[in-house]
Structure formats: C-alpha cells, structure tokens
Amino acid sequence: MAIRSTNNEEDIYFNKIRREIKLKLKINIDQYKEAYIKRRIAVRMRACKCRTYKEYYEYLLKHPEEYKELENVLTVNVTEFWRDVTVYKEIKKILEKMVLDKSRRSIRIWSAGCSSGEEPYGIAIIIDNLLEKHKRKSLKVTIIGTDIDRKVLEKARKGIYLDKQLKNIDPPLISKYFTKISEYEYQIKPIIKKYVQFRIHDLIKDPPLKNMDMILCRNVVIYFDKEVQEKIFLKFYEALVSGGYLVLGKTEILRGKAKELFKTVNHRERIYQKP
C-alpha cells in the first residue's frame, strides 16, 4: 500500500511511526489499510496524551515499553463467545451434517486470527454437544486457533474469561463447560480444551494449514488491503478439502479469483464452500 509523499510534518512523523512498527514489532504494516492504522495509533496517542504524530513518535523513543501497548492495539481482539448469534446458528447446522455423516472419521477446523480463543473454544462447545447428542464421541475433532500475537495466544491457552464475555451462552452450558474461578471470571474446562490447539501464524507470510473442513476468519481480512485479501482467500481455498467451508465476517466479501472458485452457501452470513 503506497504512502503519499508530502512535506507535511504530520505525514512525515506518521511515516516515521510506521517505520518503527515495522522495525521494532516486525509487523508488515504496509499490508494494512492506512485508515485502520491511524485509528489504532490514535487510541495510544490519547492514552499517552499526545496531540500530534510528532509528539507520539518522540514519546515512543523515550518510552520503549509503549511499543508493546501499540502492538496490542494493532491486533484485532474478539470480545465474547458466539458474538454473532445468526452466524453461529448456520455454523451449527453445517457441523451437525458433518457429525451425522457416518462415513466421516474426523473434523478439522481452522480459526484464523483467533485472538484470545473465544471463537475456537465456542466452536468446540458446539461440536462437543453435537457429538454427545448423536453418540459420536469417537469422532476425532481438531480445532486449530492461529494468531500473529503471541500475547493473546498465551491468554487463549489459559482460557480465562469474564462473565460478560459469556452472555450469549445458556447458563446450563456455562456450568457444563466452564469453571467459576472468581466472582467475575470463568475458565474453560479440559473437556473443551482437549479439542483446541493454538499456534503462531501470519496469514500474509506463512503457508496455509492443510486438509481443513472449515475455516473461520471473521473480521480479520477487512484490515488488509484488497490485494492482500485476494492472496489470503486463495490460501484459504488451498487449505480446505473439497466441500470445505469458509466463514467470513459480515462486512467482508470475497475478492479476485476467489469469487469464482468458491460457491456461496449463505450470502447474508458470508458462508462459502469449496466445490
């Protein structure tokens, strides 16, 4: 993504901050939309009481610990389980078909950009219930959550969440799958953790995972420019088995060659299938 070259001091210092992000945080920020980067930097500027990019750049140089805070706001974090109820109803229908297929021996799911783990654990809860309902506990289920942020993956592995993050889950399921560890905190039980593994993965640079029956990548690619989005969609196509499903966020659409390769299953919920 090209940056406009001007003599404006703010543009100069904005570009200096971008360079710092690339050098210090090893994030290829050129792949992100400029408006998104500016919004996220503005969050830290307010926190540090900096009014201009020049002030914030100088603040960064004097306070190296601020780089970690900046890295945190540049990543997208899921805030609750089953955040979009209508999407999860459709996902449950698809997963139930997989569970009911007696010829099937395994289900492999990739939660790309999984942040602190709400999405992969939420899918694991749905699947565990379906396996129990249809007496298919012997079906091998692997859910892989990936993210570029090591810190949020550490949080995901612990599986500790605030009560408000569970607001979309019925109380009996909370009792079944979570342990209350304090007045406001709950921890995922081992019966769900056993399905889920977490890995560091860069959607732009790293090769895709393979042999996936479903990929969830919701509200992640929207932050990349169009050219990068097209490349990521093709990686997802490569990662899926024939008949596998791709689930995007409500504001995201397929671009480039991927529009022809994927079949639309549910346009409203952004669910696609590899024929």
Side-chain angles (χ1 to χ4, degrees):
M1 184 166 60
I3 299 297
R4 273 184 309 112
S5 177
T6 76
N7 292 321
N8 182 286
E9 185 179 66
E10 279 293 85
D11 285 348
I12 290 166
Y13 279 95
F14 172 65
N15 287 332
K16 284 188 176 189
I17 293 166
R18 288 174 65 109
R19 277 198 298 275
E20 287 295 299
I21 291 166
K22 281 200 274 191
L23 290 170
K24 297 285 199 310
L25 301 179
K26 308 298 182 194
I27 295 174
N28 187 358
I29 205 161
D30 292 339
Q31 314 280 8
Y32 290 81
K33 291 180 180 175
E34 188 172 304
Y36 168 71
I37 300 162
K38 286 184 172 177
R39 281 199 307 272
R40 305 321 289 164
I41 291 173
V43 170
R44 291 309 306 161
M45 286 173 65
R46 285 194 296 272
C48 301
K49 297 182 171 53
C50 296
R51 292 166 301 166
T52 65
Y53 289 128
K54 181 177 187 288
E55 285 182 18
Y56 185 61
Y57 174 72
E58 289 168 353
Y59 185 92
L60 269 173
L61 298 184
K62 289 176 189 169
H63 302 85
E65 68 279 5
E66 173 61 18
Y67 284 102
K68 197 66 198 168
E69 299 299 329
L70 182 56
E71 183 179 30
N72 289 340
V73 300
L74 284 168
T75 59
V76 186
N77 293 326
V78 177
T79 55
E80 61 195 44
F81 282 78
W82 300 348
R83 185 166 48 159
D84 195 330
V85 177
T86 58
V87 172
Y88 277 94
K89 280 182 181 173
E90 297 305 312
I91 290 169
K92 184 181 176 182
K93 289 177 192 173
I94 293 168
L95 293 174
E96 190 154 29
K97 281 182 193 171
M98 291 184 190
V99 170
L100 284 168
D101 179 0
K102 291 291 167 55
S103 67
R104 181 181 283 277
R105 293 289 168 262
S106 67
I107 296 175
R108 285 173 56 79
I109 296 171
W110 178 10
S111 172
C114 70
S115 188
S116 45
E118 293 92 333
E119 183 174 85
Y121 285 138
I123 292 293
I125 288 170
I126 292 170
I127 289 181
D128 189 75
N129 263 288
L130 291 171
L131 296 179
E132 196 173 275
K133 176 184 173 183
H134 298 295
K135 298 179 172 58
R136 292 224 60 199
K137 282 287 189 177
S138 62
L139 190 63
K140 182 175 169 55
V141 175
T142 304
I143 301 168
I144 301 173
T146 67
D147 204 282
I148 197 171
D149 188 330
R150 205 173 291 276
K151 189 175 179 180
V152 295
L153 289 180
E154 285 169 15
K155 186 181 176 187
R157 289 186 184 101
K158 288 174 186 168
I160 297 171
Y161 303 97
L162 296 173
D163 52 1
K164 65 182 181 181
Q165 294 175 279
L166 313 184
K167 66 183 183 183
N168 299 321
I169 304 177
D170 293 335
L173 290 181
I174 293 174
S175 300
K176 185 176 180 181
Y177 294 120
F178 294 83
T179 302
K180 189 168 186 176
I181 59 172
S182 74
E183 188 179 355
Y184 301 111
E185 289 182 313
Y186 289 79
Q187 185 166 28
I188 282 278
K189 288 184 178 179
I191 52 169
I192 290 302
K193 278 191 173 185
K194 71 181 181 185
Y195 296 116
V196 184
Q197 51 185 269
F198 294 99
R199 300 180 194 172
I200 287 277
H201 184 274
D202 186 326
L203 286 173
I204 297 167
K205 291 191 295 190
D206 294 335
L209 307 187
K210 292 295 175 69
N211 301 316
M212 293 293 152
D213 296 294
M214 179 181 284
I215 298 172
L216 297 106
C217 187
R218 308 192 65 243
N219 309 310
V220 176
V221 297
I222 191 172
Y223 297 104
F224 299 126
D225 66 29
K226 290 178 183 179
E227 187 182 330
V228 174
Q229 286 181 26
E230 288 178 22
K231 289 176 183 174
I232 290 172
F233 292 144
L234 292 178
K235 284 186 176 186
F236 288 154
Y237 186 84
E238 185 186 338
L240 287 166
V241 297
S242 296
Y245 295 86
L246 172 63
V247 186
L248 301 177
K250 283 277 182 73
T251 59
E252 295 166 327
I253 55 169
L254 290 175
R255 297 186 181 279
K257 194 179 176 185
K259 282 199 292 187
E260 301 160 25
L261 292 172
F262 281 98
K263 182 179 87 174
T264 301
V265 173
N266 187 318
H267 178 71
R268 184 173 172 271
E269 305 301 344
R270 300 294 193 262
I271 300 175
Y272 306 94
Q273 188 175 29
K274 179 176 178 174

